[in-house]
Amino acid sequence: MHILHVVLLLDFLVLGHSSSALNKMWEEWKVKHHKVYDNQTEIIFRRAVWQKNMLLVLTHNQEASAGKHSFTLGMNHLADMTAEEINERLNGLKLEEPAHFTNLTIKEVNSLSTPQSMDWRKSGLVSPVQNQGLCGSCWAFSSMGALEGQMKKRTGVLVPLSPQNLVDCSTSDGNHGCRGGYISKAFSYVIRNGGVDSEKFYPYEHQNGKCRYSVKGKAGYCSNYHILPQGDERALQAVVASVGPVAVAVNAMLSSFHLYRGGLYNVPGCNPRFINHAVLVVGYGTDRGQDYWLVKNSWGTMWGEEGFIRLARNKNNLCGIASFAVYPTL
Ligand SMILES: *[C@@H]1O[C@H](CO)[C@@H](O)[C@H](O)[C@H]1NC(C)=O
Ligand SMILES: *[C@@H]1O[C@H](CO)[C@@H](O)[C@H](O)[C@H]1NC(C)=O
Protein backbone atom coordinates (compact mmCIF):
# COMPACT_ATOMS: atom_id res chain seq x y z
CA MET A 1 0.00 0.00 0.00
CA HIS A 2 1.17 3.48 -0.79
CA ILE A 3 2.58 5.43 2.13
CA LEU A 4 0.31 8.37 1.46
CA HIS A 5 -2.73 6.10 1.68
CA VAL A 6 -1.49 4.72 4.95
CA VAL A 7 -1.07 8.17 6.42
CA LEU A 8 -4.46 9.28 5.16
CA LEU A 9 -6.15 6.18 6.43
CA LEU A 10 -4.52 6.55 9.84
CA ASP A 11 -5.79 10.11 9.96
CA PHE A 12 -9.25 8.90 9.04
CA LEU A 13 -9.11 6.26 11.74
CA VAL A 14 -8.11 8.82 14.31
CA LEU A 15 -10.82 11.22 13.23
CA GLY A 16 -13.43 8.49 13.08
CA HIS A 17 -14.32 9.07 9.43
CA SER A 18 -12.95 5.79 8.19
CA SER A 19 -15.98 3.59 7.71
CA SER A 20 -16.42 3.81 3.93
CA ALA A 21 -12.69 3.44 3.17
CA LEU A 22 -12.43 0.54 5.59
CA ASN A 23 -15.61 -1.10 4.29
CA LYS A 24 -14.19 -1.05 0.80
CA MET A 25 -10.95 -2.63 1.96
CA TRP A 26 -12.85 -5.28 3.93
CA GLU A 27 -14.93 -6.21 0.87
CA GLU A 28 -11.84 -6.38 -1.34
CA TRP A 29 -9.91 -8.40 1.21
CA LYS A 30 -12.76 -10.95 1.52
CA VAL A 31 -12.87 -11.42 -2.26
CA LYS A 32 -9.10 -11.74 -2.56
CA HIS A 33 -8.91 -14.42 0.14
CA HIS A 34 -12.17 -16.22 -0.77
CA LYS A 35 -13.73 -15.61 2.63
CA VAL A 36 -17.28 -16.79 3.22
CA TYR A 37 -18.75 -16.74 6.71
CA ASP A 38 -21.54 -18.87 8.10
CA ASN A 39 -23.77 -16.27 9.72
CA GLN A 40 -24.14 -12.65 10.77
CA THR A 41 -22.59 -13.16 14.22
CA GLU A 42 -19.52 -14.62 12.59
CA ILE A 43 -19.29 -11.77 10.07
CA ILE A 44 -19.42 -9.14 12.81
CA PHE A 45 -16.77 -10.93 14.86
CA ARG A 46 -14.42 -11.51 11.90
CA ARG A 47 -14.80 -7.92 10.77
CA ALA A 48 -13.86 -6.68 14.26
CA VAL A 49 -10.78 -8.92 14.38
CA TRP A 50 -9.82 -7.87 10.85
CA GLN A 51 -10.15 -4.20 11.75
CA LYS A 52 -7.98 -4.61 14.84
CA ASN A 53 -5.33 -6.32 12.70
CA MET A 54 -5.66 -3.62 10.05
CA LEU A 55 -4.88 -0.96 12.61
CA LEU A 56 -1.89 -2.98 13.82
CA VAL A 57 -0.59 -3.40 10.26
CA LEU A 58 -1.05 0.27 9.36
CA THR A 59 0.61 1.48 12.53
CA HIS A 60 3.49 -0.95 12.22
CA ASN A 61 4.13 -0.13 8.56
CA GLN A 62 3.97 3.58 9.32
CA GLU A 63 6.67 3.03 11.95
CA ALA A 64 8.64 0.83 9.56
CA SER A 65 8.71 3.58 6.94
CA ALA A 66 10.06 5.88 9.65
CA GLY A 67 12.88 3.38 10.20
CA LYS A 68 11.63 1.83 13.44
CA HIS A 69 11.26 -1.72 12.07
CA SER A 70 13.21 -3.75 9.53
CA PHE A 71 10.10 -5.61 8.28
CA THR A 72 6.55 -4.86 7.20
CA LEU A 73 3.21 -6.48 7.97
CA GLY A 74 0.36 -7.27 5.60
CA MET A 75 -3.32 -8.18 5.64
CA ASN A 76 -2.84 -11.80 4.55
CA HIS A 77 -5.39 -14.63 4.73
CA LEU A 78 -4.87 -14.97 8.50
CA ALA A 79 -5.94 -11.37 9.19
CA ASP A 80 -9.47 -12.31 10.30
CA MET A 81 -8.18 -14.59 13.06
CA THR A 82 -6.98 -13.65 16.54
CA ALA A 83 -3.44 -14.53 17.58
CA GLU A 84 -4.89 -17.05 20.04
CA GLU A 85 -6.84 -18.82 17.30
CA ILE A 86 -3.80 -19.05 15.02
CA ASN A 87 -1.61 -20.39 17.80
CA GLU A 88 -4.22 -22.95 18.74
CA ARG A 89 -5.14 -24.15 15.26
CA LEU A 90 -1.98 -23.77 13.14
CA ASN A 91 0.95 -23.93 15.49
CA GLY A 92 0.87 -27.58 16.42
CA LEU A 93 4.46 -28.28 17.35
CA LYS A 94 4.86 -30.32 20.51
CA LEU A 95 7.90 -29.79 22.71
CA GLU A 96 10.43 -32.54 22.33
CA GLU A 97 11.42 -34.67 25.27
CA PRO A 98 15.14 -34.51 26.08
CA ALA A 99 15.29 -38.32 25.96
CA HIS A 100 15.00 -38.12 22.17
CA PHE A 101 18.07 -35.93 21.81
CA THR A 102 20.97 -37.52 20.01
CA ASN A 103 23.48 -34.67 20.01
CA LEU A 104 25.97 -33.92 17.32
CA THR A 105 29.42 -33.46 18.74
CA ILE A 106 30.88 -29.95 18.45
CA LYS A 107 34.00 -31.41 16.84
CA GLU A 108 31.96 -32.62 13.90
CA VAL A 109 30.33 -29.21 13.47
CA ASN A 110 33.56 -27.21 13.60
CA SER A 111 35.18 -29.27 10.90
CA LEU A 112 32.53 -28.24 8.39
CA SER A 113 33.09 -25.22 6.18
CA THR A 114 30.67 -22.30 6.36
CA PRO A 115 30.26 -19.90 3.43
CA GLN A 116 28.93 -16.36 4.04
CA SER A 117 25.56 -17.09 2.49
CA MET A 118 23.52 -20.04 1.30
CA ASP A 119 20.21 -20.52 -0.49
CA TRP A 120 19.26 -24.14 -1.18
CA ARG A 121 16.39 -23.02 -3.41
CA LYS A 122 19.00 -22.19 -6.04
CA SER A 123 20.20 -25.79 -6.03
CA GLY A 124 16.67 -27.14 -6.35
CA LEU A 125 16.53 -28.71 -2.88
CA VAL A 126 13.35 -26.87 -1.84
CA SER A 127 9.85 -27.85 -3.01
CA PRO A 128 7.05 -25.29 -3.61
CA VAL A 129 5.49 -23.66 -0.54
CA GLN A 130 2.25 -25.30 0.60
CA ASN A 131 -0.57 -24.14 2.84
CA GLN A 132 -1.27 -26.33 5.87
CA GLY A 133 -4.69 -24.69 6.34
CA LEU A 134 -6.46 -24.89 9.70
CA CYS A 135 -4.58 -28.03 10.72
CA GLY A 136 -1.68 -28.19 13.19
CA SER A 137 0.52 -30.15 10.79
CA CYS A 138 3.53 -27.80 10.67
CA TRP A 139 5.72 -30.59 12.11
CA ALA A 140 4.94 -32.80 9.07
CA PHE A 141 5.73 -30.06 6.52
CA SER A 142 8.93 -29.08 8.30
CA SER A 143 10.29 -32.63 8.59
CA MET A 144 9.33 -33.58 5.03
CA GLY A 145 11.01 -30.41 3.76
CA ALA A 146 14.30 -31.51 5.32
CA LEU A 147 13.92 -35.03 3.91
CA GLU A 148 13.07 -33.73 0.41
CA GLY A 149 16.41 -31.90 0.38
CA GLN A 150 18.37 -35.02 1.36
CA MET A 151 16.49 -37.17 -1.18
CA LYS A 152 17.23 -34.65 -3.92
CA LYS A 153 20.93 -34.75 -3.00
CA ARG A 154 20.90 -38.53 -3.21
CA THR A 155 18.73 -39.10 -6.29
CA GLY A 156 19.12 -35.83 -8.20
CA VAL A 157 15.33 -35.41 -8.33
CA LEU A 158 13.23 -33.17 -6.12
CA VAL A 159 10.01 -34.98 -5.22
CA PRO A 160 7.61 -33.27 -2.78
CA LEU A 161 6.84 -35.71 0.05
CA SER A 162 3.49 -36.26 1.73
CA PRO A 163 2.75 -34.46 5.02
CA GLN A 164 -0.69 -36.10 4.90
CA ASN A 165 0.99 -39.52 5.11
CA LEU A 166 2.49 -38.40 8.43
CA VAL A 167 -0.69 -36.74 9.68
CA ASP A 168 -2.67 -39.97 9.07
CA CYS A 169 -0.14 -42.68 9.91
CA SER A 170 2.25 -41.63 12.68
CA THR A 171 -0.09 -41.62 15.67
CA SER A 172 1.55 -44.67 17.20
CA ASP A 173 4.88 -42.82 17.01
CA GLY A 174 3.43 -40.16 19.31
CA ASN A 175 2.09 -37.62 16.84
CA HIS A 176 -1.47 -36.24 16.87
CA GLY A 177 -2.27 -35.41 13.25
CA CYS A 178 -3.84 -31.98 12.91
CA ARG A 179 -3.67 -31.55 16.68
CA GLY A 180 0.12 -31.40 16.54
CA GLY A 181 3.24 -33.49 16.48
CA TYR A 182 7.01 -33.69 16.75
CA ILE A 183 9.70 -33.24 14.13
CA SER A 184 11.72 -36.12 15.60
CA LYS A 185 8.70 -38.44 15.69
CA ALA A 186 7.97 -37.67 12.05
CA PHE A 187 11.39 -39.10 11.21
CA SER A 188 10.82 -42.00 13.63
CA TYR A 189 7.75 -42.91 11.59
CA VAL A 190 9.61 -42.81 8.26
CA ILE A 191 12.36 -45.02 9.72
CA ARG A 192 9.90 -47.51 11.26
CA ASN A 193 7.64 -47.54 8.20
CA GLY A 194 10.54 -47.97 5.79
CA GLY A 195 9.50 -44.95 3.74
CA VAL A 196 7.05 -42.16 3.07
CA ASP A 197 4.85 -41.49 0.05
CA SER A 198 5.09 -38.59 -2.37
CA GLU A 199 2.73 -35.62 -2.13
CA LYS A 200 1.45 -36.50 -5.59
CA PHE A 201 0.54 -40.07 -4.56
CA TYR A 202 -0.84 -39.08 -1.14
CA PRO A 203 -2.07 -35.45 -1.44
CA TYR A 204 -2.64 -33.02 1.39
CA GLU A 205 -6.22 -32.77 2.74
CA HIS A 206 -6.12 -30.18 5.58
CA GLN A 207 -7.62 -32.70 8.01
CA ASN A 208 -7.01 -36.07 9.66
CA GLY A 209 -7.77 -39.14 7.61
CA LYS A 210 -7.34 -42.89 7.57
CA CYS A 211 -3.80 -44.14 6.97
CA ARG A 212 -3.39 -44.99 3.29
CA TYR A 213 0.38 -45.45 3.00
CA SER A 214 1.37 -47.62 0.07
CA VAL A 215 4.84 -48.69 -0.96
CA LYS A 216 3.72 -47.95 -4.54
CA GLY A 217 3.86 -44.23 -3.75
CA LYS A 218 7.10 -44.36 -1.75
CA ALA A 219 9.37 -41.43 -2.62
CA GLY A 220 11.42 -40.89 0.54
CA TYR A 221 13.19 -42.82 3.26
CA CYS A 222 15.70 -42.24 6.04
CA SER A 223 17.65 -44.34 8.51
CA ASN A 224 18.44 -41.82 11.24
CA TYR A 225 18.11 -38.21 12.33
CA HIS A 226 20.38 -35.80 14.17
CA ILE A 227 19.58 -33.06 16.64
CA LEU A 228 21.90 -30.05 16.69
CA PRO A 229 23.43 -28.55 19.85
CA GLN A 230 20.65 -26.54 21.47
CA GLY A 231 20.66 -22.79 20.77
CA ASP A 232 23.90 -22.88 18.77
CA GLU A 233 23.45 -20.70 15.68
CA ARG A 234 27.03 -21.34 14.51
CA ALA A 235 26.37 -25.06 14.45
CA LEU A 236 23.08 -24.53 12.64
CA GLN A 237 24.84 -22.39 10.03
CA ALA A 238 27.52 -25.02 9.53
CA VAL A 239 25.00 -27.81 9.12
CA VAL A 240 22.72 -25.81 6.78
CA ALA A 241 25.78 -25.02 4.66
CA SER A 242 27.10 -28.56 4.43
CA VAL A 243 24.02 -30.78 4.77
CA GLY A 244 21.03 -28.88 3.33
CA PRO A 245 17.67 -27.63 4.64
CA VAL A 246 17.19 -28.26 8.37
CA ALA A 247 13.86 -28.66 10.21
CA VAL A 248 13.61 -26.21 13.10
CA ALA A 249 11.19 -25.06 15.77
CA VAL A 250 10.38 -21.39 16.34
CA ASN A 251 8.36 -19.03 18.45
CA ALA A 252 5.55 -18.07 16.06
CA MET A 253 3.22 -16.74 18.73
CA LEU A 254 3.29 -13.04 17.96
CA SER A 255 0.84 -11.22 15.68
CA SER A 256 3.85 -9.72 13.91
CA PHE A 257 4.82 -13.25 12.81
CA HIS A 258 1.25 -14.14 11.75
CA LEU A 259 0.94 -10.97 9.64
CA TYR A 260 4.58 -10.82 8.47
CA ARG A 261 4.77 -9.42 4.94
CA GLY A 262 8.48 -8.98 4.20
CA GLY A 263 11.87 -7.73 5.31
CA LEU A 264 14.07 -8.85 8.13
CA TYR A 265 12.01 -10.16 11.05
CA ASN A 266 13.70 -8.85 14.18
CA VAL A 267 11.47 -8.59 17.23
CA PRO A 268 13.51 -8.21 20.41
CA GLY A 269 10.75 -9.80 22.50
CA CYS A 270 10.64 -13.06 20.52
CA ASN A 271 11.53 -15.43 23.34
CA PRO A 272 13.60 -18.47 22.23
CA ARG A 273 11.97 -20.65 24.88
CA PHE A 274 8.35 -20.24 23.76
CA ILE A 275 8.42 -22.57 20.81
CA ASN A 276 5.20 -23.60 19.05
CA HIS A 277 5.77 -23.86 15.29
CA ALA A 278 7.92 -26.00 13.01
CA VAL A 279 9.47 -24.53 9.85
CA LEU A 280 12.43 -25.21 7.55
CA VAL A 281 15.72 -23.31 7.38
CA VAL A 282 16.71 -23.34 3.69
CA GLY A 283 19.61 -20.89 3.85
CA TYR A 284 21.06 -17.77 5.42
CA GLY A 285 22.74 -14.53 4.43
CA THR A 286 23.37 -10.90 5.33
CA ASP A 287 21.33 -7.89 4.25
CA ARG A 288 22.72 -4.40 4.85
CA GLY A 289 24.95 -5.68 7.62
CA GLN A 290 22.22 -7.68 9.33
CA ASP A 291 22.53 -11.47 9.36
CA TYR A 292 19.39 -13.48 8.66
CA TRP A 293 18.06 -17.00 8.34
CA LEU A 294 16.08 -17.86 5.22
CA VAL A 295 13.09 -19.87 6.40
CA LYS A 296 10.32 -21.71 4.56
CA ASN A 297 6.90 -21.71 6.19
CA SER A 298 3.79 -23.75 5.33
CA TRP A 299 1.20 -20.97 5.37
CA GLY A 300 0.95 -20.54 1.60
CA THR A 301 2.57 -18.00 -0.69
CA MET A 302 0.28 -15.14 0.42
CA TRP A 303 2.21 -15.08 3.69
CA GLY A 304 5.59 -13.35 3.94
CA GLU A 305 8.00 -13.24 1.02
CA GLU A 306 6.24 -15.75 -1.25
CA GLY A 307 5.85 -18.06 1.75
CA PHE A 308 9.33 -17.46 3.19
CA ILE A 309 10.56 -15.32 6.07
CA ARG A 310 13.96 -13.81 6.73
CA LEU A 311 14.53 -14.05 10.44
CA ALA A 312 17.33 -12.18 12.25
CA ARG A 313 20.41 -14.39 12.73
CA ASN A 314 23.06 -14.22 15.47
CA LYS A 315 20.69 -12.28 17.74
CA ASN A 316 20.95 -14.63 20.70
CA ASN A 317 18.86 -17.36 19.11
CA LEU A 318 15.98 -15.03 18.28
CA CYS A 319 12.59 -16.80 18.31
CA GLY A 320 14.43 -20.01 19.21
CA ILE A 321 15.53 -20.67 15.64
CA ALA A 322 18.38 -22.90 16.87
CA SER A 323 16.63 -24.28 19.95
CA PHE A 324 15.58 -27.48 18.24
CA ALA A 325 17.09 -28.15 14.83
CA VAL A 326 16.96 -31.57 13.21
CA TYR A 327 18.02 -33.19 9.95
CA PRO A 328 17.61 -36.73 8.67
CA THR A 329 20.25 -38.95 7.14
CA LEU A 330 19.40 -41.51 4.51
C1 LIG B 1 -22.21 -18.89 13.38
O1 LIG B 1 -21.04 -19.44 12.79
C2 LIG B 1 -20.04 -19.80 13.71
C3 LIG B 1 -18.78 -20.20 12.95
O2 LIG B 1 -19.05 -20.95 11.83
C4 LIG B 1 -20.56 -20.90 14.62
O3 LIG B 1 -19.57 -21.29 15.54
C5 LIG B 1 -21.78 -20.38 15.35
O4 LIG B 1 -22.34 -21.42 16.13
C6 LIG B 1 -22.82 -19.86 14.37
N1 LIG B 1 -23.88 -19.20 15.13
C7 LIG B 1 -25.17 -19.33 14.84
C8 LIG B 1 -26.11 -18.52 15.65
O5 LIG B 1 -25.56 -20.07 13.94
C1 LIG C 1 22.62 -33.43 24.53
O1 LIG C 1 23.07 -32.18 24.98
C2 LIG C 1 22.34 -31.66 26.05
C3 LIG C 1 22.81 -30.24 26.31
O2 LIG C 1 24.20 -30.14 26.16
C4 LIG C 1 22.48 -32.61 27.23
O3 LIG C 1 21.75 -32.12 28.32
C5 LIG C 1 21.97 -33.98 26.83
O4 LIG C 1 22.16 -34.90 27.87
C6 LIG C 1 22.66 -34.49 25.58
N1 LIG C 1 21.99 -35.70 25.12
C7 LIG C 1 22.64 -36.79 24.68
C8 LIG C 1 21.79 -37.92 24.23
O5 LIG C 1 23.85 -36.86 24.60
Side-chain angles (χ1 to χ4, degrees), residues 46 49 53 77-83 85-86 89-90 134:
R46 290 299 151 202
V49 172
N53 282 329
H77 60 292
L78 303 174
D80 62 349
M81 292 172 76
T82 67
E85 286 176 314
I86 295 171
R89 302 195 62 182
L90 273 75
L134 296 179

Side-chain angles (χ1 to χ4, degrees), residues 252-281:
M253 288 178 196
L254 301 172
S255 291
S256 58
F257 190 97
H258 303 154
L259 300 173
Y260 167 79
R261 171 68 191 82
L264 214 135
Y265 189 75
N266 184 3
V267 178
C270 196
N271 192 321
R273 272 172 299 191
F274 297 159
I275 278 166
N276 67 338
H277 186 46
V279 289
L280 185 71
V281 173

Side-chain angles (χ1 to χ4, degrees), residues 15-293:
L15 296 170
H17 291 303
S18 61
S19 56
S20 75
L22 268 181
N23 280 341
K24 189 160 173 282
M25 290 167 97
W26 165 242
E27 295 304 328
E28 286 168 359
W29 180 89
K30 277 191 296 181
V31 170
K32 180 175 179 188
H33 297 287
H34 314 290
K35 296 286 178 175
V36 181
Y37 302 113
D38 288 347
N39 54 56
Q40 199 58 30
T41 318
E42 186 69 6
I43 292 173
I44 290 167
F45 179 66
R46 290 299 151 202
R47 164 69 197 248
V49 172
W50 177 89
Q51 189 155 324
K52 194 161 160 266
N53 282 329
M54 179 60 109
L55 195 56
L56 179 81
V57 167
L58 291 174
T59 309
H60 176 97
N61 289 353
Q62 172 91 333
E63 291 171 0
S65 64
K68 275 178 75 181
H69 308 289
S70 53
F71 65 100
T72 57
L73 302 182
M75 293 299 283
N76 61 29
H77 60 292
L78 303 174
D80 62 349
M81 292 172 76
T82 67
E84 292 73 25
E85 286 176 314
I86 295 171
N87 288 327
E88 191 185 314
R89 302 195 62 182
L90 273 75
N91 292 342
L93 183 71
K94 304 287 182 192
L95 281 183
E96 306 274 345
E97 294 143 37
H100 292 280
F101 282 44
T102 48
N103 297 341
L104 271 191
T105 66
I106 301 296
K107 191 162 158 280
E108 232 181 301
V109 166
N110 282 345
S111 66
L112 305 169
S113 67
T114 55
Q116 288 302 302
S117 68
M118 184 58 73
D119 182 350
W120 285 111
R121 294 176 302 187
K122 292 177 180 161
S123 319
L125 263 66
V126 183
S127 68
V129 169
Q130 288 205 69
N131 191 345
Q132 66 186 75
L134 296 179
C135 165
S137 53
C138 58
W139 54 277
F141 284 92
S142 161
S143 54
M144 288 307 94
L147 187 55
E148 286 162 2
Q150 295 312 300
M151 291 302 302
K152 156 78 184 182
K153 276 180 113 177
R154 172 68 56 92
T155 64
V157 189
L158 178 67
V159 181
L161 299 174
S162 169
Q164 192 68 44
N165 186 171
L166 285 146
V167 165
D168 295 345
C169 308
S170 68
T171 309
S172 66
D173 304 274
N175 293 320
H176 306 282
C178 284
R179 287 193 297 109
Y182 302 80
I183 297 169
S184 61
K185 289 172 184 175
F187 293 128
S188 300
Y189 164 77
V190 178
I191 296 166
R192 169 179 74 77
N193 189 54
V196 61
D197 283 340
S198 69
E199 166 67 22
K200 197 172 175 200
F201 185 86
Y202 199 151
Y204 190 59
E205 293 175 339
H206 308 87
Q207 58 189 7
N208 296 326
K210 241 182 81 185
C211 180
R212 285 153 289 158
Y213 172 80
S214 164
V215 74
K216 277 189 284 184
K218 176 173 159 178
Y221 57 88
C222 65
S223 62
N224 202 355
Y225 62 88
H226 304 278
I227 297 169
L228 274 58
Q230 213 176 342
D232 186 341
E233 289 184 86
R234 298 288 306 171
L236 180 57
Q237 182 186 357
V239 170
V240 169
S242 63
V243 173
V246 173
V248 297
V250 290
N251 175 346
M253 288 178 196
L254 301 172
S255 291
S256 58
F257 190 97
H258 303 154
L259 300 173
Y260 167 79
R261 171 68 191 82
L264 214 135
Y265 189 75
N266 184 3
V267 178
C270 196
N271 192 321
R273 272 172 299 191
F274 297 159
I275 278 166
N276 67 338
H277 186 46
V279 289
L280 185 71
V281 173
V282 301
Y284 57 83
T286 304
D287 182 14
R288 280 165 275 179
Q290 173 65 70
D291 295 342
Y292 65 84
W293 294 108

